[in-house]
Amino acid sequence: MKIQAKASKNYQLKTDCLVIALKPLKKISSQCAELNTATGGAIARLQDSGQFSATCGELVNLMIPEGVGAKQIILLGVGDKKLDTESVREALTSLATKLKSLKVDEATFELDALNAKSNVETVSRHLAEALGDTEYQYIKAPKSARGDTANKEFKATLWCEERKMLSTAKKAAAVGSAINNGKTLAKDLGNMPGNVCTPSFLANQAKKLGKSHGLKVKVLSEKDMAELGMGSLLSVSKGSREPAKLIVMEYKGAKNSKEAPHALVGKGLTFDAGGISLKPGAKMDEMKYDMCGSASVFGAILAAAEMQLPINIVGVIPSSENLPDGLANKPGDVVTSMSGQTIEILNTDAEGRLILCDALTYTKRFKPQTVIDIATLTGAVIVALGHQTAGVMGNDQDVVDDLIAAGEKSLDHAWQLPIKETYKKQLKSDYADLANIGTPGAGTITAACFLSYFTEDFRWAHLDIAGTAWGGSVGKRASGRAVPILTQYLMDRCK
Ligand code: BES
Ligand code: MN
Ligand code: ZN
């Protein structure tokens, strides 16, 4: 998806599709008098026929119209009320779906009527994202799954007559397109099968991203991790033939390269069978998505680098498989984490926290301003919040609030759950400093409580994206979340 903004309307311009947003009026055509005249009154006739009344999200297309350079015209109704971001996005998603069904891959958009119900920034940015989401196809999808639409990159042009609006539209479209590129990368990585997307594959992916976007990339081997004392992370990878990796990517956009970075720590569990506490067979294939936290770190860093955000960012990705094996963790095993705290592993399927805790301890060395970890950590978060909203918890209310605000703005929502002493108590063990699971109930919270024992030295928040990274209305596909919320969070950190 390529999106640009241009001034100067010209109805003779050659375009595959001209999209015009319109509000309901007695005479809808009065909003686009010039176009109505050029087409010999087609808009007025359409309204008179009762086939278009411009309610919000209403769509109608005029094929092969006379008098204009466009091969077809699509009218998009915007209704007569103010629209919140969610409704704008909904209307733009139906528009993008319509364009796809018409096999249109180049279009010009005149959306002033929609801008008036919302604002040009929101509309331009979410148009880019809606077009991107709709055009997305998994890079390796077989022809049969792709249908007959050749995957041509969508080219969008925004028409903006007002100078001031034009520059805002350009900036917002660039933001939307950067977020879209980040989401596309996250979706591709998430959708890849577990036998392709291994810890080593993710490490190579980081090196590739480093080369193309000027990041400093370091990959720690199991030997390096053993030297650092990462007994918790390594206990998970012991049960797998694929060597674990700790991937570190540094983006330096701040004027002062020494400025403290914001850290993103993403769970990169490339396949979670549960280990000896084996998961049931149904839907186990979906555990290839257990690296979506790390995928969103890749995506957010890509978006930040494309926008050249003036801050420093460090991405830290602990990556491993979790399989049953003769050498795998057993319930009752006790391991020592890099922090020195010992952990009794009561359930080998609670492995995400075991790899994250050592990655979080490692992150301290960057003296980060804030640390956000992102993980498909618990099935319980789906019970609590469904596939719509991510769970957020942390040790610093400002960081949590900033994330929630970023979620609202980017439509990648998060909702807070409490971390409290009474939940932390659930992790008591007679055999180690901590157990890796709590007593039944509040599984999302006790998982975050576990992590809180490894984050006391910095401002931290945790995003549980087990519900939002795939599934729900998106189906068995990666959604690209949490790229939007993370990218917005990073944008908001730029002064
Ligand atoms: N990766 C899973 C979490 C998960 C489960 C995500 C289902 C999406 C759908 C995680 O490693 C896990 O297995 N968590 C356990 C924790 C439990 C053993 C305390 C869970 O949620 O069942
Ligand atoms: Mn698990
Ligand atoms: Zn897992």
Side-chain angles (χ1 to χ4, degrees):
M1 197 266 323
K2 273 219 156 62
I3 185 162
Q4 54 168 356
K6 267 193 190 163
S8 79
K9 264 179 232 177
N10 167 12
Y11 290 117
Q12 297 318 312
L13 181 95
K14 296 264 179 275
T15 177
D16 284 355
C17 184
L18 180 59
V19 178
I20 314 274
L22 295 170
K23 62 182 176 190
L25 283 180
K26 263 216 178 97
K27 271 178 88 85
I28 287 172
S29 55
S30 64
Q31 293 165 75
C32 53
E34 211 184 311
L35 176 70
N36 188 47
T37 310
T39 55
I43 315 289
R45 282 201 304 282
L46 189 72
Q47 184 180 17
D48 293 344
S49 74
Q51 289 187 69
F52 183 69
S53 45
T55 56
C56 185
E58 194 180 347
L59 289 162
V60 69
N61 64 320
L62 304 171
M63 305 293 283
I64 329 178
E66 244 180 272
V68 292
K71 289 185 194 151
Q72 60 180 311
I73 296 171
I74 290 188
L75 303 181
L76 166 69
V78 303
D80 48 18
K81 288 199 210 66
K82 278 262 169 224
L83 297 172
D84 59 14
T85 310
E86 205 100 31
S87 316
V88 169
R89 180 61 176 270
E90 217 171 285
L92 292 173
T93 299
S94 359
L95 172 62
T97 311
K98 178 90 174 172
L99 289 167
K100 185 167 187 180
S101 74
L102 293 167
K103 299 200 170 78
V104 170
D105 52 30
E106 186 278 309
T108 303
F109 300 81
E110 204 268 74
L111 301 177
D112 285 345
L114 186 57
N115 295 338
K117 297 290 174 214
S118 167
N119 58 71
V120 66
E121 187 187 356
T122 302
V123 170
S124 314
R125 170 170 169 176
H126 287 284
L127 174 67
E129 267 200 70
L131 290 170
D133 268 336
T134 313
E135 98 175 325
Y136 176 78
Q137 278 169 344
Y138 172 52
I139 36 165
K140 295 255 164 69
K143 269 220 177 84
S144 56
R146 275 193 261 137
D148 53 1
T149 44
N151 199 4
K152 251 192 165 178
E153 189 174 39
F154 197 102
K155 271 173 121 175
T157 306
L158 276 169
W159 265 352
C160 265
E161 268 189 309
E162 250 187 77
R163 281 269 145 216
K164 255 218 243 127
M165 275 213 185
L166 180 67
S167 79
T168 313
K170 273 191 179 157
K171 277 188 211 139
V175 169
S177 132
I179 291 178
N180 179 58
N181 290 340
K183 279 166 79 180
T184 300
L185 174 59
K187 289 175 191 175
D188 278 340
L189 293 173
N191 287 330
M192 277 175 194
N195 60 337
V196 172
C197 184
T198 60
S200 305
F201 182 92
L202 286 180
N204 287 333
Q205 184 63 46
K207 287 179 186 157
K208 249 170 88 178
L209 192 62
K211 275 225 177 82
S212 59
H213 287 77
L215 314 173
K216 187 170 151 199
V217 175
K218 187 167 152 186
V219 177
L220 277 69
S221 67
E222 290 193 342
K223 189 166 156 270
D224 300 329
M225 291 187 262
E227 276 163 20
L228 288 165
M230 296 189 170
S232 183
L233 191 161
L234 290 171
S235 78
V236 176
S237 71
K238 254 189 345 177
S240 156
R241 311 266 172 114
E242 291 288 343
K245 304 284 174 191
L246 186 78
I247 304 163
V248 183
M249 294 179 277
E250 286 180 86
Y251 164 78
K252 289 197 188 285
K255 273 209 190 93
N256 174 2
S257 68
K258 297 246 161 64
E259 189 179 294
H262 292 279
L264 304 178
V265 181
K267 175 178 174 184
L269 212 292
T270 59
F271 189 79
D272 181 12
I276 297 299
S277 313
L278 192 63
K279 285 185 181 296
K283 292 208 210 164
M284 204 209 265
D285 60 298
E286 294 187 17
M287 283 300 117
K288 71 174 183 180
Y289 293 117
D290 211 13
M291 36 55 69
C292 283
S294 71
S296 69
V297 173
F298 279 110
I301 291 182
L302 171 63
E306 271 190 17
M307 292 188 281
Q308 298 184 297
L309 294 187
I311 49 171
N312 293 336
I313 306 168
V314 57
V316 178
I317 295 172
S319 185
S320 171
E321 292 184 327
N322 185 29
L323 297 175
D325 178 88
L327 284 175
N329 277 328
K330 301 173 291 297
D333 284 0
V334 173
V335 298
T336 304
S337 67
M338 183 181 172
S339 73
Q341 296 174 94
T342 56
I343 303 163
E344 185 188 14
I345 300 172
L346 290 174
N347 189 318
T348 68
D349 197 11
E351 86 298 337
R353 58 200 84 178
L354 295 177
I355 66 170
L356 282 167
C357 70
D358 281 341
L360 286 164
T361 302
Y362 181 81
T363 303
K364 261 202 278 189
R365 69 184 53 208
F366 298 103
K367 302 195 170 60
Q369 290 189 46
T370 65
V371 178
I372 314 290
D373 82 78
I374 313 94
T376 49
L377 206 60
T378 64
V381 79
I382 311 174
V383 179
L385 298 168
H387 293 282
Q388 291 88 341
T389 310
V392 58
M393 289 139 277
N395 63 10
D396 185 301
Q397 195 54 40
D398 289 337
V399 179
V400 170
D401 288 342
D402 288 341
L403 267 174
I404 294 172
E408 291 289 305
K409 186 149 191 211
S410 61
L411 294 182
D412 186 359
H413 299 286
W415 196 258
Q416 187 175 13
L417 299 170
I419 292 192
K420 292 219 165 95
E421 216 37 61
T422 107
Y423 297 108
K424 284 178 117 178
K425 273 194 218 144
Q426 292 188 31
L427 296 167
K428 284 216 166 105
S429 158
D430 287 338
Y431 297 93
D433 296 322
L434 286 171
N436 80 326
I437 57 168
T439 46
T444 303
I445 296 173
T446 51
C449 286
F450 180 91
L451 297 178
S452 76
Y453 285 100
F454 301 85
T455 57
E456 280 168 1
D457 297 335
F458 42 67
R459 301 169 69 207
W460 158 78
H462 156 66
L463 275 175
D464 193 332
I465 59 165
T468 56
W470 80 96
S473 63
V474 206
K476 203 190 274 188
R477 288 186 185 86
S479 65
R481 291 173 74 176
V483 172
I485 186 176
L486 292 176
T487 308
Q488 184 65 51
Y489 175 82
L490 294 170
M491 286 165 64
D492 293 344
R493 305 277 77 67
C494 304
K495 276 154 250 142

